[in-house]
Amino acid sequence: MEPGAWRPGKRGRSWFALAVVLVFVASLVGACAGPAKEAKPEKTMVIAMDVGDASSMDPAVAFETASIFTAHQCYDNLVTFEGGDLSKPGPELAESWEVSQDGLVWTFKLKKGLKFPSGEPVTAAAVAYSFDRVIALDDQPAWLLTQTGMEVGSTKALDESTVQITLKEKFNPDAFLAVLTYPVASVVDPKVCKEHEKDGDWGKNFLAGASAGNGPYILEKWEPEVQVVLKANPNYWKGKVPMSTVIVKHVPESTAQKMLLEKGDAQIAMDLRPEQIKDLEGKSGFQIIRGLGDGINYLGMNVAYQPFKDNRVRDAVRWAIDYDGLVKHVLQENAIVLQTFIPKGYKGYNPDTPYQQDVEKARQLLKEAGYPNGLKAELLCSSGVAGGGVYWRDIAAKLKDDLAKVGITVEIKEMTSAALLDIYRAQKHQMVLMGWGPDYPDPDALAKPFANHRMKQLTWRNSYYNDDLADKVDKAAAAFASDERLQLYRELTDYVLHNGPFAILYQPRVSIAMRDSVLNYQYNSLWTTELASIDLK
């Protein structure tokens, strides 16, 4: 042995023997424990979707399709709809509830032991803070709560797990619970909001691109008109979700969506055109999910624009449109004709479709209104995809041709959804092509925007103010008797059909294309789907 090499003496030999014994014992323990479990690989899913309309991911602000879709995945509510069933809300954060006989006081019991990602508990105080925050911010969707008779201070924490909401006036119980399923009634983490509050904004600027809920996903990143990145909430109270990451890529062009899907760079394509759906149908490696949407696509006419002040002009527009041709040739049957504001499948649905293209009648109405030589109007449309899977520009082109036959010359102005909404909300348009999705599955969710200008929604945007109509909407919302409600909605839909600032066009069908590796996709007509249920094989 070389000089300096270690030689075990008596003590050294003892330590050496002990080491051998420990290694032997460790091997026995390992053998008893069995082979080490391998961590499950993280899964990432990519969705190709037009998310260009998103303006904020804060549930107190979110009011567009992409914003609602995202907020729903990040936040939980007191109650929710399970899967695609919109017939009756069930418990989520609340385990039970009751309402007083007069319908004014609601008491919810929360599930215990739930926490936000920050570690803070989900309490009754957090619910009260969340609702007060929405009402105090008074942004676009705040009316959903205030219309029920809620105001700041209406929601109180009786104890850590008991929430009491006191309404100022009667509001139909079914409609009230339905309202509470919408993202605006999401429960946010007060600690996170307060930590990021600036100049009394309740954390609004921070939550525009972040999340503070206890839902299945956490918003990691939102790059407007680029992508939304969602990461699984590791401590989600319902259990670990299958997908570790969901990336929603902003892909406004359906051709690009289809290409990503076919290459395998996206697992789901949300906005394919009807002919693209047909091309994929039956092909190996793909599947198609279908359903009837509850959205409404319509032509809005701003009454502040002189010609449209006269309902005879608005009626001429309604008689000029070839509704059947629009559905058959442009939408390729991926929609049904709808001319009233409550969609098929909802209580209060009015199936009347009295308007069909009648060029002579439309010309006569224009003549009576003082426009014997016709008129000109500007039509705004989005550059994105409309309900039914076709581009808005294609619908606009069809309407332009129809209206030209009666002497109405239309100039189409195409722009991004965000730019269009800025103009529309400022009442600065003449005509506009838009879609509307109900915020909760109750006829009140359609009557408010389409017939009550006080809500500052669609009738207001089109400068149509009718107090009698608005009063009837309020009466229907407060009605407890089903027969009375249905009669009121029949009267409302009939009136708006013939006198309102709209030509309601169609109710779209929904066709979503995906790889056959996608499992457990559950279509929901309100927020598209529950990402928490989706897995990849």
Side-chain angles (χ1 to χ4, degrees):
M1 189 171 285
E2 295 182 14
W6 177 78
R7 290 179 176 86
K10 184 177 180 182
R11 185 178 179 187
R13 285 194 298 270
S14 298
W15 281 110
F16 180 77
L18 178 59
V20 170
V21 171
L22 289 174
V23 169
F24 177 69
V25 171
S27 67
L28 288 176
V29 172
C32 294
K37 292 183 179 179
E38 294 184 7
K40 290 184 178 180
E42 292 194 348
K43 295 182 180 180
T44 298
M45 179 173 64
V46 177
I47 300 174
M49 178 177 172
D50 184 352
V51 294
D53 65 348
S55 59
S56 171
M57 301 306 178
D58 185 337
V61 181
F63 213 44
E64 293 77 39
T65 301
S67 303
I68 294 165
F69 170 81
T70 304
H72 178 72
Q73 317 303 332
C74 299
Y75 296 86
D76 283 344
N77 295 48
L78 290 175
V79 294
T80 192
F81 293 105
E82 291 293 336
D85 183 7
L86 305 181
S87 60
K88 188 176 182 180
E92 190 164 49
L93 296 180
E95 63 181 10
S96 64
W97 56 88
E98 58 185 30
V99 59
S100 61
Q101 191 170 0
D102 62 7
L104 296 179
V105 181
W106 289 79
T107 305
F108 295 85
K109 283 287 186 181
L110 301 184
K111 292 181 172 75
K112 296 181 180 179
L114 305 186
K115 292 184 178 182
F116 293 104
S118 69
E120 290 292 300
V122 179
T123 63
V127 177
Y129 173 88
S130 300
F131 292 175
D132 284 350
R133 177 178 181 269
V134 169
I135 297 167
L137 286 174
D138 194 26
D139 216 296
Q140 281 283 316
W143 70 272
L144 289 165
L145 296 187
T146 57
Q147 59 151 347
T148 69
M150 292 176 65
E151 56 189 4
V152 172
S154 292
T155 309
K156 297 186 181 300
L158 301 187
D159 57 42
E160 192 167 274
S161 60
T162 308
V163 180
Q164 188 175 84
I165 303 174
T166 303
L167 308 182
K168 292 190 302 182
E169 53 199 34
K170 286 186 177 182
F171 193 81
N172 182 267
D174 291 340
F176 181 71
L177 286 175
V179 167
L180 294 185
T181 68
Y182 192 72
V184 74
S186 298
V187 179
V188 303
D189 186 341
K191 178 183 177 182
V192 173
C193 292
K194 291 174 182 178
E195 285 176 348
H196 293 89
E197 183 172 334
K198 291 184 179 180
D199 302 322
D201 74 344
W202 294 73
K204 173 181 172 180
N205 288 328
F206 172 74
L207 285 192
S211 63
N214 74 315
Y217 284 93
I218 297 169
L219 178 59
E220 181 179 77
K221 183 193 301 182
W222 171 45
E223 300 173 86
E225 298 196 26
V226 177
Q227 65 178 355
V228 175
V229 180
L230 300 169
K231 290 288 186 179
N233 178 356
N235 300 312
Y236 184 46
W237 62 279
K238 291 183 183 179
K240 185 178 179 180
V241 298
M243 304 310 305
S244 303
T245 305
V246 177
I247 301 172
V248 184
K249 288 187 175 293
H250 174 55
V251 187
E253 292 289 333
S254 64
T255 301
Q257 286 193 21
K258 185 170 182 281
M259 186 180 300
L260 289 173
L261 187 70
E262 290 176 322
K263 290 172 63 179
D265 293 335
Q267 284 73 49
I268 300 176
M270 291 289 193
D271 309 303
L272 298 193
R273 293 166 61 88
E275 66 270 18
Q276 294 169 328
I277 291 289
K278 289 180 180 179
D279 180 59
L280 292 175
E281 193 168 19
K283 277 189 177 181
S284 177
F286 302 96
Q287 56 179 318
I288 308 297
I289 301 294
R290 285 190 169 84
L292 183 62
D294 54 7
I296 295 174
N297 284 39
Y298 66 91
L299 174 70
M301 295 169 275
N302 191 348
V303 176
Y305 179 57
Q306 182 62 39
F308 296 135
K309 286 183 179 180
D310 193 322
N311 188 51
R312 289 172 295 187
V313 175
R314 303 197 298 272
D315 220 30
V317 170
R318 289 187 280 263
W319 283 112
I321 297 170
D322 174 17
Y323 301 87
D324 291 332
L326 176 64
V327 166
K328 184 175 181 180
H329 301 298
V330 179
L331 289 149
Q332 298 185 40
E333 308 289 354
N334 205 32
I336 62 172
V337 173
L338 181 75
Q339 295 181 358
T340 56
F341 65 70
I342 298 177
K344 186 176 183 179
Y346 276 43
K347 292 178 181 177
Y349 164 62
N350 182 345
D352 286 358
T353 54
Y355 291 100
Q356 54 186 324
Q357 191 173 59
D358 189 326
V359 173
E360 292 307 313
K361 182 176 288 190
R363 285 184 176 275
Q364 181 60 34
L365 285 166
L366 288 175
K367 183 178 180 180
E368 292 173 6
Y371 299 95
N373 300 317
L375 57 94
K376 295 181 179 181
E378 182 181 272
L379 172 61
L380 306 185
C381 79
S382 166
S383 56
V385 176
V390 303
Y391 287 109
W392 284 107
R393 69 175 77 99
D394 295 335
I395 299 173
K398 168 63 174 169
L399 296 182
K400 178 177 180 176
D401 289 344
D402 288 347
L403 293 172
K405 293 176 182 178
V406 304
I408 299 176
T409 302
V410 170
E411 178 188 359
I412 298 173
K413 286 203 170 181
E414 185 178 352
M415 59 192 67
T416 66
S417 297
L420 186 152
L421 285 168
D422 285 343
I423 297 172
Y424 191 24
R425 288 170 178 166
Q427 302 174 301
K428 293 180 179 179
H429 64 292
Q430 295 177 8
M431 302 176 79
V432 63
L433 259 179
M434 280 294 293
W436 182 264
D439 303 317
Y440 48 99
D442 186 89
D444 183 62
L446 288 310
K448 287 286 195 329
F450 279 96
N452 187 347
H453 66 279
R454 296 170 192 150
M455 296 294 106
K456 292 195 173 181
Q457 288 298 319
L458 306 185
T459 49
W460 181 85
R461 291 178 190 175
N462 286 287
S463 308
Y464 184 79
Y465 313 124
N466 186 318
D467 287 326
D468 291 338
L469 201 63
D471 289 343
K472 187 170 287 189
V473 172
D474 291 340
K475 185 178 179 180
F480 275 48
S482 180
D483 289 346
E484 180 186 2
R485 283 193 93 205
L486 292 178
Q487 177 57 37
L488 288 168
Y489 288 125
R490 179 70 194 206
E491 294 171 8
L492 285 165
T493 52
D494 278 340
Y495 189 86
V496 173
L497 170 63
H498 296 287
N499 301 280
F502 313 105
I504 295 174
L505 303 171
Y506 67 90
Q507 180 179 349
R509 300 185 191 277
V510 175
S511 299
I512 300 170
M514 59 193 72
R515 307 286 300 189
D516 62 5
S517 58
V518 177
L519 304 174
N520 305 324
Y521 186 99
Q522 297 179 326
Y523 170 68
N524 182 296
S525 61
L526 281 179
W527 38 72
T528 311
T529 190
E530 301 278 359
L531 291 181
S533 68
I534 299 177
D535 198 357
L536 292 176
K537 62 183 178 182

